[in-house]
Amino acid sequence: MNFKRMSFKRLRLFTAMVTGIFISVASDNMALAASMSLGNVLSDTMVRKDVQSIRERRYEDLVEQHTDFSCGAAALATVLKYAYGRTEITENDVLAGMLEVSDPEVVRQRGFSLLDLKRYVETNGYRGRGYEVAPDTLDEISIPVIVLLDLEGYKHFVVMKKARGDRIYVGDPALGNRMMSRDDFMAAWNNIIFAVVGEGYDRYTVLLDPRQPLTAHRLQDVFSPAPRDQLIDFGFRHAELF
């Protein structure tokens, strides 16, 4: 019992420390990177650790959309910025450029189309190519591509980074970086991919090596304050250990 009480105190201390870290680096839903200093961890030492808000991690290496109809612009900006080194490009840049090569009235009613994306990239010296892909060859796609998903009637452009096993890694301009099950992806996808082809492509783009998304369970695995069975002893329910 004494051991458990001591472990629980450490767990509570750890939770408070992590909570304080996240509060200190995020304010008003803004993602602010910061560094944390830990003194007296070892005698006469100071440890510095970079920390990242959950929101910042969610949109890491991804251009976030800021309007209801700009998912295509944000997805395209993501590919150009992180796969073609166009570090200066923004969602607004692509949005303005796409409006110049599309029908504004159609965009207001239906949003942008793959044809609008194609026209825009070709005005910037790239080639835009759409391909119909057999579901069983999805894992063979070796570059980040843009796909259109039908999410319960809502048509939404996202960046498909890679497919591995039963998981599809997606850069979603609205929801952030996430994984979809293959079944869910296939149910929403129309078997079409849109690829940007041109000079300056980075074969080692970070888009092809996405980090695992954060979950409470993965955080527990990383920091290991207490094993699962011990957490249950402390009063946690199975449902809280996802």
Side-chain angles (χ1 to χ4, degrees):
M1 290 298 294
N2 290 336
F3 172 75
K4 289 186 177 181
R5 289 197 194 98
M6 184 179 300
S7 299
F8 186 49
K9 289 179 180 179
R10 290 177 180 173
L11 176 62
R12 287 194 299 178
L13 177 61
F14 172 82
T15 303
M17 183 178 70
V18 171
T19 303
I21 292 168
F22 283 126
I23 290 174
S24 68
V25 300
S27 175
D28 297 330
N29 292 325
M30 294 181 63
L32 302 174
S35 295
M36 176 183 65
S37 298
L38 299 176
N40 299 321
V41 176
L42 296 174
S43 178
D44 299 323
T45 64
M46 179 68 73
V47 177
R48 294 187 64 83
K49 178 66 177 177
D50 291 335
V51 295
Q52 188 180 47
S53 71
I54 291 178
R55 177 177 174 79
E56 187 177 22
R57 175 70 176 272
R58 183 186 305 153
Y59 289 96
E60 185 177 44
D61 304 325
L62 176 65
V63 176
E64 182 181 359
Q65 74 178 84
H66 293 91
T67 72
D68 292 340
F69 59 88
S70 62
C71 56
L76 193 50
T78 296
V79 172
L80 294 177
K81 183 173 185 175
Y82 294 106
Y84 282 91
R86 297 282 302 277
T87 55
E88 80 291 348
I89 204 161
T90 66
E91 176 198 29
N92 285 339
D93 294 333
V94 179
L95 193 57
M98 289 175 63
L99 285 171
E100 291 180 359
V101 297
S102 60
D103 185 331
E105 184 60 32
V106 173
V107 171
R108 277 193 291 270
Q109 294 178 1
R110 305 178 185 175
F112 290 106
S113 67
L114 284 176
L115 181 58
D116 297 326
L117 272 65
K118 174 181 171 64
R119 288 170 176 166
Y120 172 78
V121 297
E122 290 181 348
T123 64
N124 283 264
Y126 303 99
R127 289 173 290 158
R129 295 289 184 267
Y131 301 96
E132 185 171 2
V133 178
D136 59 354
T137 63
L138 201 60
D139 295 58
E140 299 174 16
I141 298 173
S142 58
I143 62 172
V145 295
I146 296 173
V147 299
L148 182 64
L149 301 181
D150 185 337
L151 303 174
E152 298 183 358
Y154 175 64
K155 300 296 184 9
H156 186 51
F157 285 111
V158 302
V159 178
M160 193 197 83
K161 299 178 178 182
K162 69 177 183 179
R164 290 293 182 272
D166 62 349
R167 295 177 176 180
I168 310 296
Y169 293 81
V170 168
D172 187 324
L175 300 177
N177 293 303
R178 61 195 184 101
M179 290 186 304
M180 296 181 67
S181 72
R182 187 176 290 263
D183 289 343
D184 288 345
F185 182 87
M186 292 299 181
W189 179 47
N190 62 0
N191 287 29
I192 302 294
I193 64 171
F194 178 79
V196 178
V197 182
E199 295 293 328
Y201 175 71
D202 180 7
R203 292 188 302 162
Y204 304 103
T205 169
V206 293
L207 298 180
L208 295 178
D209 189 26
R211 291 208 284 178
Q212 295 288 327
L214 288 175
T215 65
H217 191 186
R218 291 198 69 251
L219 281 173
Q220 189 257 315
D221 289 343
V222 171
F223 294 110
S224 300
R228 176 185 289 263
D229 57 349
Q230 197 169 0
L231 288 175
I232 293 174
D233 287 340
F234 291 146
F236 286 86
R237 299 184 304 242
H238 283 280
E240 295 172 327
L241 303 179
F242 60 90

